[in-house]
Amino acid sequence: MDKRTVPNNILLGEVASVLREGREAVIIPTGNSMLPFIRGGVDRVVLALRPDIAVGDIVLAKPGDRYVLHRVIARDGDALTLMGDGNLAGMERCSAADVLGTVVEIIRPSGRRKAPGSGRLWQTLKPVRRYLLALWRLLPR
């Protein structure tokens, strides 16, 4: 199988179209912002359009001119605050209309499928997240 790299603005625009049609899409995320739960370039995620977005959901959103795959950490009406699980400080704010899809499954390289958790415990560990991520990076895979 050939592997091709497509710019995010093209690929994720097409993914958004597929999701609006009511179908699911599988993508390979890039970057480390969702470590340790989603490993960029390693894991795949299944996205679907869900009518309700809740705190704890992992969403593909387009706040402004870039795409992010981050967790919803707060919601006030249609206003959402997003933060990557691997991020120590950076957050994005967007509206529910900026959400293109929700992660419904994480697929490991072994083929094992896993439903994403709510991230509540991970959020409470935010003060020590830096140290936990450092330890995680040292562990053999």
Side-chain angles (χ1 to χ4, degrees), residues 71-138:
R71 192 178 299 276
V72 177
I73 61 167
R75 180 169 187 162
D76 183 13
D78 275 350
L80 305 175
T81 303
L82 310 177
M83 183 178 193
D85 290 342
N87 291 352
L88 300 174
M91 291 183 256
E92 297 87 15
R93 289 184 174 60
C94 67
S95 72
D98 296 326
V99 172
L100 307 174
T102 302
V103 174
V104 295
E105 224 171 19
I106 300 166
I107 306 171
R108 302 293 185 208
S110 65
R112 190 174 129 242
R113 293 173 175 254
K114 168 183 182 330
S118 68
R120 270 185 253 145
L121 175 61
W122 190 246
Q123 282 299 325
T124 61
L125 294 173
K126 194 172 166 186
V128 295
R129 190 183 288 182
R130 170 186 319 272
Y131 307 107
L132 295 172
L133 286 168
L135 285 172
W136 185 85
R137 286 183 175 107
L138 293 173

